[in-house]
Amino acid sequence: MTRTGIGYDSHRLVEGRRLVLGGVVIPHARGLAGHSDADAIAHALTDAILGAAALGDIGAMFPDSDPAWRDADSMKLLATAVGRVRDAGWSPAQCDITVIAQEPRLAPHVPAIRAGLAGVLGIPVGQVGLKGKTNEGMGFIGRGEGIAVLAVANLEPS
Ligand code: MG
């Protein structure tokens, strides 16, 4: 039996912050606002993995009211979530992610992000899907106010 989880995250784009997506610092005039590093790929994927194992969500595991997670490296939070899932008898098998951002272009950074995520999940890079889309200028994403990420993850019994 395999288990499937879905995750979603969005953060506001603001000046004076680094843009971190999937653990990669992307050169851009603005970055994502948040209590942690606001890495929306790591957050959405963490929720997908926790959801597949029915282990709750990132907000319950790492509350943003807790100073311990201030400016946290979200790839470390993802690694912690993967560890909890493994403790529950599941192993990541595959994931697929869509980043919706009017800018910057994700394509140049896709290989580095996939490699980093594969490392944290302990799976081959060929089992990590990652695509970037714009929102065709529509809505908050189209106006460049923020970035959203969708993620799906599959787990198999370990
Ligand atoms: Mg988030």
Side-chain angles (χ1 to χ4, degrees), residues 55-158:
L55 286 174
D57 66 23
I58 189 171
M61 192 168 285
F62 310 105
D64 64 7
S65 55
D66 187 337
W69 312 125
R70 184 171 173 79
D71 296 325
D73 175 350
S74 296
M75 293 293 276
K76 291 185 177 155
L77 307 187
L78 174 61
T80 300
V82 169
R84 303 277 177 88
V85 164
R86 288 190 188 282
D87 290 345
W90 298 98
S91 295
Q94 170 268 343
C95 68
D96 189 30
I97 297 161
T98 295
V99 176
I100 313 165
Q102 201 61 35
E103 58 176 18
R105 269 173 48 77
L106 189 71
H109 310 288
V110 162
I113 294 171
R114 289 178 70 209
L117 295 175
V120 172
L121 267 52
I123 58 178
V125 73
Q127 287 154 230
V128 177
L130 177 62
K131 301 91 61 191
K133 294 186 69 66
T134 74
N135 214 38
E136 297 286 345
M138 297 181 289
F140 78 89
I141 296 171
R143 290 190 296 271
E145 294 169 13
I147 287 175
V149 179
L150 300 164
V152 171
N154 282 299
L155 308 179
E156 55 195 8
S158 40

Side-chain angles (χ1 to χ4, degrees), residues 9-11 38-40 43:
D9 195 36
S10 62
H11 283 266
D39 183 337
H43 293 180

